Amino acid sequence: MNDVIEVKYIKKEEYIARQPWNIDYLQFYLNNHDEPILIQPSFGGTVAPYNMNEETKEILSFIRGKFPDIKVTKEK
């Protein structure tokens, strides 16, 4: 986590079995790396686009608590 400078929360709509699901993703931006690392913290999605999975909430809370220098943003 020492090289992480920003974590961006992203919600993407994907179709699973012809149903729209809103999937949480976290992009980790690192020092000296051109491309961010994309992580899907949960295997499940949400029906509503404004809900965040519990796994995602826990990861972001952990990062905010343990690494206050890392910028946490949300894609609009």
Side-chain angles (χ1 to χ4, degrees):
M1 291 297 282
N2 293 335
D3 289 338
V4 177
I5 55 174
E6 181 180 354
V7 177
K8 185 180 285 186
Y9 168 70
I10 301 169
K11 178 75 83 171
K12 290 185 178 182
E13 184 178 76
E14 295 182 7
Y15 283 84
I16 301 170
R18 298 183 190 170
Q19 295 283 76
W21 285 92
N22 295 283
I23 308 296
D24 291 348
Y25 289 96
L26 296 175
Q27 273 188 332
F28 288 80
Y29 292 87
L30 308 173
N31 280 328
N32 303 321
H33 284 80
D34 295 333
E35 295 293 322
I37 298 171
L38 186 66
I39 295 175
Q40 182 182 355
S42 173
F43 291 110
T46 61
V47 177
Y50 49 83
N51 288 348
M52 185 184 292
N53 286 333
E54 289 299 317
E55 294 89 347
T56 305
K57 288 180 189 175
E58 291 296 323
I59 291 169
L60 291 177
S61 293
F62 176 79
I63 292 171
R64 286 182 182 118
K66 297 284 186 181
F67 306 97
D69 293 337
I70 295 176
K71 181 179 176 183
V72 178
T73 60
K74 180 178 178 181
E75 184 176 75
K76 297 179 185 202

